[in-house]
Amino acid sequence: MHFVIAFTLAIALMAADHYGQLMGSFRSLLLTTISPIERLATLPKQFYQLTTTDFTNIDALKLENQQLKTELLLVKAKQQQFSNLQLEVSRLESLLGTAGKINTQSLQIATVTYYSNNPLSQYLTLNKGQLKNVVEQQTVIDSKGIMGQIISTAPTYSRVLLITDPDHQIPIRIQRTGQRGILSGTGHETTQLEFIPKNSLVEVGDLLESSGLGGVFPAGYPVAVITQIENKNGNPYLDITATPVADLFQSHKVLILSQATPYLNFDEDLTESSDVK
Amino acid sequence: MSNKLFSLKTSQARWVILISYIIALALDTIALFGHSSPIIPPLTLFFLLYWCAHFLDRTHLFSAFILGLLADTLYQTTLGAHALLFSIITFLMIRHRLRFKGYPIWQQAFFISLYMMCYQLLNYLFFNPVLSSNDVVQYWTMPALSILLWPILAYSLGKVTNTANHD
């Protein structure tokens, strides 16, 4: 009898989670429950790193600090230019009377706390959650390109489904030709570009960027580079493999994008990000 | 001796069981984070099967369901999928546990490898993981590794349970 109840409940849960997307808050509760266990699991690694890392001398730290301050200054200068350009584009757009607007996103810097890299699931865990207004479907990028999207949140942390996860798909366009397609994860640090017909002008080395279709991912961010094209007999589409441009498993600091506010908003103190690789 | 072996109550070792599940989940998390290998068996299920065979007064299906849900959260799979897998494997163990408990340890290890093979088969049907040629070998070798792990686990948990009972 117990087995029949467990069996029925499990099937009902699977159906609700798969078709209805009704289980967001329940998953969030489970994520919060498992959070202390995940922290417990990272203790041995942290202890190992603490005991094996060489202590950096103070001169090297001063030098690094100086370099980071210089970089920050340059970035701020570029930011000002960017703001001016944005205003200029808005003026020109209003002159032309076009409806298109540049999408501006607010940003939050987050730290990667753990990651999973196995054929079943590829995800990152970030140290920002509901308390920092992180919500599902926000895009996560690093300095090179799109990494994935937020799929579940807990009060103090959130999970990012990587673009290489077998369940993940992202609408893209080939930057050189503008042709659209769907990029799916394979579970093995690569992605597969689907629905590109055999007569397409596609080459190894082509950059794939987000197309913005569907409204989940913002348009124009680099996603992957084509590394292999196979033309198999009997298949109307090309078999295309692409490698993500983002450092999915090396990045320590990442950015969470949201399209809510028109100005850049660095939520985390920049002094915290001195260990950016 | 045999009476004592078959009359152990779950309530006598409730905290030991709970702590062992937390440790098992932490070990599964360690195995998952980073570049994990499919050869490592799910230790939560291992612990669950051990307690299921050891304490006969409960079905342990509630524990199986809850641990399955936590596994779903950990592996980021559809909610209820691992809960169903864990419940099925636990149910198979319940049907067989009276005989299982009387077997010598090597024979228990052999049956555990069969349960793990069932788990891998169901796992493959449910999630259809994309495995590289190297991963395929490791994935299907996992039940064999379970044969080696079971005696270690049974011995360690047996020691812990005996200590808890004496206290």
Side-chain angles (χ1 to χ4, degrees):
Chain A
M1 185 63 190
H2 286 179
F3 176 67
V4 175
I5 294 169
F7 189 88
T8 315
L9 208 57
I11 298 283
L13 268 175
M14 282 165 70
D17 192 38
H18 189 72
Y19 295 108
Q21 303 294 323
L22 302 170
M23 307 307 293
S25 50
F26 185 54
R27 195 180 270 277
S28 170
L29 178 75
L30 287 169
L31 206 59
T32 312
T33 312
I34 210 163
S35 159
I37 295 168
E38 287 186 342
R39 288 200 182 133
L40 181 74
T42 52
L43 285 179
K45 193 181 175 188
Q46 283 174 359
F47 181 73
Y48 174 77
Q49 282 174 342
L50 193 74
T51 50
T52 54
T53 309
D54 290 332
F55 290 101
T56 318
N57 65 43
I58 199 150
D59 288 338
L61 281 173
K62 275 182 181 172
L63 189 68
E64 191 185 358
N65 196 23
Q66 198 63 41
Q67 282 174 343
L68 287 170
K69 278 182 176 171
T70 315
E71 271 180 36
L72 181 63
L73 209 62
L74 287 168
V75 170
K76 278 186 173 173
K78 278 186 181 171
Q79 162 93 53
Q80 284 170 20
Q81 280 181 329
F82 176 73
S83 301
N84 286 336
L85 280 171
Q86 209 175 346
L87 285 171
E88 192 64 34
V89 171
S90 310
R91 272 198 294 272
L92 289 170
E93 273 181 349
S94 62
L95 277 174
L96 287 166
T98 54
K101 297 275 180 237
I102 285 186
N103 281 330
T104 49
Q105 287 91 28
S106 73
L107 303 174
Q108 276 195 77
I109 298 177
T111 306
V112 177
T113 45
Y114 350 99
Y115 68 88
S116 161
N117 178 17
N118 73 15
L120 262 185
S121 60
Q122 303 228 326
Y123 65 81
L124 300 177
T125 306
L126 306 181
N127 70 338
K128 293 276 166 72
Q130 290 160 354
L131 294 175
K132 294 282 182 184
N133 299 323
V134 176
V135 292
E136 287 175 21
Q137 294 199 331
Q138 279 186 297
T139 304
V140 175
I141 61 168
D142 73 351
S143 59
K144 294 178 181 169
I146 288 180
M147 301 177 86
Q149 61 172 308
I150 304 276
I151 45 155
S152 48
T153 54
T156 54
Y157 77 109
S158 53
R159 272 205 184 153
V160 181
L161 192 68
L162 294 173
I163 55 172
T164 49
D165 187 279
D167 288 337
H168 194 277
Q169 293 187 322
I170 172 172
I172 54 91
R173 64 174 171 241
I174 300 169
Q175 194 188 49
R176 189 171 56 84
T177 61
Q179 184 166 11
R180 295 196 184 95
I182 300 285
L183 195 69
S184 308
T186 60
H188 291 284
E189 300 186 26
T190 57
T191 53
Q192 201 143 24
L193 181 55
E194 292 171 12
F195 311 122
I196 301 293
K198 280 185 172 173
N199 57 359
S200 303
L201 294 169
V202 57
E203 293 172 5
V204 170
D206 276 350
L207 182 69
L208 309 176
E209 60 180 24
S210 52
S211 68
L213 291 179
V216 175
F217 292 96
Y221 282 88
V223 181
V225 174
I226 293 175
T227 48
Q228 195 183 356
I229 301 171
E230 280 182 77
N231 190 350
K232 287 180 181 166
N233 288 334
N235 187 353
Y237 299 109
L238 291 167
D239 209 353
I240 301 174
T241 306
T243 308
V245 290
D247 291 326
L248 299 182
F249 302 108
Q250 283 84 43
S251 292
H252 183 56
K253 295 277 182 184
V254 297
L255 294 171
I256 305 171
L257 301 184
S258 64
Q259 298 188 348
T261 53
Y263 299 107
L264 295 173
N265 165 31
F266 288 93
D267 193 48
E268 186 165 316
D269 189 0
L270 279 173
T271 51
E272 264 186 48
S273 60
S274 56
D275 54 342
V276 174
K277 285 176 185 171
Chain B
M1 170 66 191
S2 62
N3 279 342
K4 194 187 171 190
L5 187 76
F6 285 92
S7 64
L8 286 170
K9 291 265 189 289
T10 310
S11 55
Q12 288 174 282
R14 186 177 291 135
W15 288 104
V16 176
I17 294 173
L18 194 65
I19 291 167
S20 75
Y21 284 152
I22 293 172
I23 292 170
L25 277 168
L27 289 172
D28 276 345
T29 312
I30 292 171
L32 178 71
F33 288 162
H35 295 269
S36 55
S37 160
I39 200 170
I40 302 167
L43 290 172
T44 315
L45 185 60
F46 246 64
F47 278 61
L48 177 68
L49 290 179
Y50 180 82
W51 294 125
C52 185
H54 205 76
F55 293 106
L56 308 176
D57 59 325
R58 300 270 169 91
T59 59
H60 298 267
L61 279 167
F62 180 72
S63 305
F65 191 79
I66 297 295
L67 288 171
L69 283 182
L70 291 174
D72 281 324
T73 315
L74 185 65
Y75 296 110
Q76 200 60 50
T77 46
T78 309
L79 273 185
H82 273 94
L84 185 60
L85 282 183
F86 279 27
S87 300
I88 290 172
I89 302 294
T90 309
F91 179 71
L92 292 176
M93 174 54 99
I94 291 167
R95 304 285 294 173
H96 174 228
R97 64 182 171 178
L98 279 173
R99 267 177 291 168
F100 181 88
K101 199 168 179 178
Y103 290 154
I105 200 82
W106 62 266
Q107 203 173 343
Q108 285 185 359
F110 172 75
F111 277 101
I112 285 294
S113 79
L114 286 182
Y115 287 131
M116 288 297 149
M117 183 56 91
C118 289
Y119 173 79
Q120 288 296 73
L121 267 171
L122 290 171
N123 204 43
Y124 195 83
L125 289 173
F126 269 53
F127 306 115
N128 196 16
V130 184
L131 299 168
S132 65
S133 53
N134 189 31
D135 284 344
V136 169
V137 177
Q138 291 190 13
Y139 187 86
W140 295 112
T141 312
M142 187 274 265
L145 186 70
S146 306
I147 296 178
L148 300 176
L149 276 179
W150 181 258
I152 300 167
L153 182 89
Y155 179 76
S156 316
L157 290 180
K159 279 272 179 197
V160 172
T161 320
N162 285 340
T163 312
N165 279 336
H166 286 307
D167 290 345

